[in-house]
Amino acid sequence: DNAGRLRDRLATDGVDAHLQTVGSGKEATYRVLAGPSGSRAAAEKLQASLAKAHKLKGIIIGIDTGGNG
């Protein structure tokens, strides 16, 4: 599928990329997540790099890792 191929392309370029399934069955869609990044600035740099190298439009999301809460 397209998401899997994109994840593999990013991995070939050294990007830590994962698939996230949204929905199930015939309604399932997939997101490609890149990261994590150590800071917002690092995430923005990765986003700009992916936009330039792969013509990808992405968003930055924060994920609660359950660490310091």
Side-chain angles (χ1 to χ4, degrees), residues 40 59-65:
R40 174 101 188 169
I59 61 170
I60 296 173
I61 59 171
I63 298 176
D64 181 7
T65 60

Side-chain angles (χ1 to χ4, degrees), residues 8-43:
D8 294 345
R9 250 186 20 228
L10 295 177
T12 298
D13 288 350
V15 176
D16 187 11
H18 310 275
L19 292 182
Q20 180 183 53
T21 304
V22 181
S24 62
K26 290 184 178 183
E27 301 298 318
T29 57
Y30 302 92
R31 293 181 183 141
V32 179
L33 304 177
S37 297
S39 67
R40 174 101 188 169

